[in-house]
Each structure stands twice: as structure tokens, then as C-alpha cells.
Amino acid sequence: NSAPMGAAWGTSRRTRTIVGVIRASVGETAGVGNGGYYAPSGLNTSLNLCYSGGMNILKSPLLLLILLAATASVGAFVVQYGFGAQPCPLCWQQRYVHWAVLALAVLAHWHSRTTRVAWWGAVWGGLLLAVSAVGLWLALFHTGVEQGWWAYAGPGVAGNIGGDLLAALEHTNVVACDKPTFFILGLSLAVWNIPLMATLLALSGLLMWKGKT
């Protein structure tokens, strides 16, 4: 019986050594009780930083505005250059709104760190609210053009390009606004832009109401 016991003791010793090396590589450990529940403080610190950073973003309308506008801007270029879906004139107008929201939100965030005047948040919120309202209107209007709910006499409608549609598109490089070319879960990007802009509008209103960034 002594041989198995000696082998078991050796295995246990090697296990403790390996655990000790792992603990040393991730930082100091915190013991709980005599049984030895240990949680690496380095790992805990990283998790706490991620959690606190995520909660700070969720608590800040301004940071959420930056995150959503940046995601929409990057996503539009991924759809265009990654999937080959070219934007129509109305799509470009909606991109301009995304860029405007992103620029205003970044400036507001920078300004909030350089001034102690709380009511400036209401000013930035009002500007963002106005731009987001324009974006929501554009998203609704573009969706209506795609669905044929109302007429649009702009250059990005198939019937208004004139002549042979394919030839006209070849020479003018105008993408038809009433013919969506990219879908996510069966919905066009114009439709998806409606809840996005509604969210940006609500966050802008919350920022203006709070009066601080």
C-alpha cells in the first residue's frame, strides 16, 4: 500500500506545483478559508474593468450615441466593400446623418471633459436630437420609397433615370433608391435604419433632458 500512497503523494505534489506556477503567472491569489478557493486577482481585475467599462457605457447616453453611430458607419462600409452593395443617393444621405451624430457626440464628449458647465449637455443633446430627427425622417421616407408608398422624383429612382435603365446606370453610376440590394433577416437597410435612428433620437432626448454628458 505504501507504493500507491507514495505515487498519489507525488502526483498531488506535482499538481500543487503546477497550480502554483499558474497562480504566479496571473498574479497574486486571494484565498478563501482553509480549503483553498483561490481566484487570481489579475483575472478579477480584468473582469472588473470590463464590467465597469460596460456599465459606464450603458449609463451614459453620450457613449451609447458614439458606439451606435460608429457601428452604423463602419457597418455601412462593410456592406458596401465587403458585400458589394452600392449605396443609393438616399443611403448616402443617411450615412451623412450617422457621421454627423458621431462627430457631434465625440465633440460633446471632449467638451464635457474641458468644461464644468452642466447645461452644455443640454445644448449638445438638442443638436443631436435635431440631427437624429432628420435621420429618422430619412429612414422612414426611404422605406416608403422602397415600398412604393409615395412618389420620389429624385435621381435614385428607377423610373426617373430615363431611357434604358441598365445603360443609364452604366453611365451615371446611380443606384436606384426604390430597389434595395441588401437585406438582413429579410429587411432592407433602410428599414433597419428606422429603429437605429429612433434609438439615437431617444438617447439624444435623454441627454438633453439630463443636461449633462
Side-chain angles (χ1 to χ4, degrees):
N1 296 333
S2 61
M5 291 180 61
W9 182 83
T11 301
S12 177
R13 184 178 182 181
R14 286 193 296 273
T15 302
R16 289 197 299 270
T17 302
I18 294 172
V19 172
V21 171
I22 295 174
R23 290 173 182 168
S25 66
V26 297
E28 294 296 327
T29 57
V32 178
N34 297 327
Y37 165 74
Y38 293 91
S41 61
L43 179 60
N44 280 342
T45 301
S46 299
L47 292 175
N48 288 335
L49 288 174
C50 292
Y51 176 77
S52 60
M55 292 304 295
N56 287 336
I57 292 177
L58 292 177
K59 291 179 180 179
S60 172
L62 188 55
L63 292 179
L64 279 173
L65 281 165
I66 294 175
L67 177 62
L68 291 175
T71 301
S73 300
V74 173
F77 284 108
V78 170
V79 170
Q80 179 179 356
Y81 294 104
F83 296 92
Q86 298 301 314
C88 71
L90 287 176
C91 290
W92 275 112
Q93 293 180 29
Q94 291 170 88
R95 288 191 187 189
Y96 299 152
V97 172
H98 298 159
W99 299 345
V101 170
L102 179 60
L104 285 173
V106 170
L107 287 173
H109 183 66
W110 170 80
H111 188 255
S112 68
R113 296 181 175 275
T114 60
T115 183
R116 295 176 180 268
V117 182
W119 55 264
W120 265 108
V123 175
W124 287 111
L127 292 173
L128 286 163
L129 186 70
V131 175
S132 299
V134 172
L136 180 58
W137 178 85
L138 278 172
L140 291 168
F141 180 76
H142 193 181
T143 299
V145 171
E146 290 181 347
Q147 301 298 324
W149 295 339
W150 40 69
Y152 171 56
V157 175
N160 296 327
I161 294 177
D164 186 349
L165 174 60
L166 294 179
L169 288 175
E170 182 179 354
H171 292 289
T172 62
N173 293 322
V174 176
V175 179
C177 293
D178 56 346
K179 304 294 181 182
T181 58
F182 191 83
F183 298 86
I184 299 176
L185 299 179
L187 301 176
S188 69
L189 294 183
V191 176
W192 281 110
N193 203 40
I194 294 175
L196 171 64
M197 295 312 307
T199 302
L200 294 179
L201 184 69
L203 290 172
S204 301
L206 180 61
L207 179 63
M208 186 176 66
W209 177 71
K210 290 176 63 177
K212 61 180 180 180
T213 54

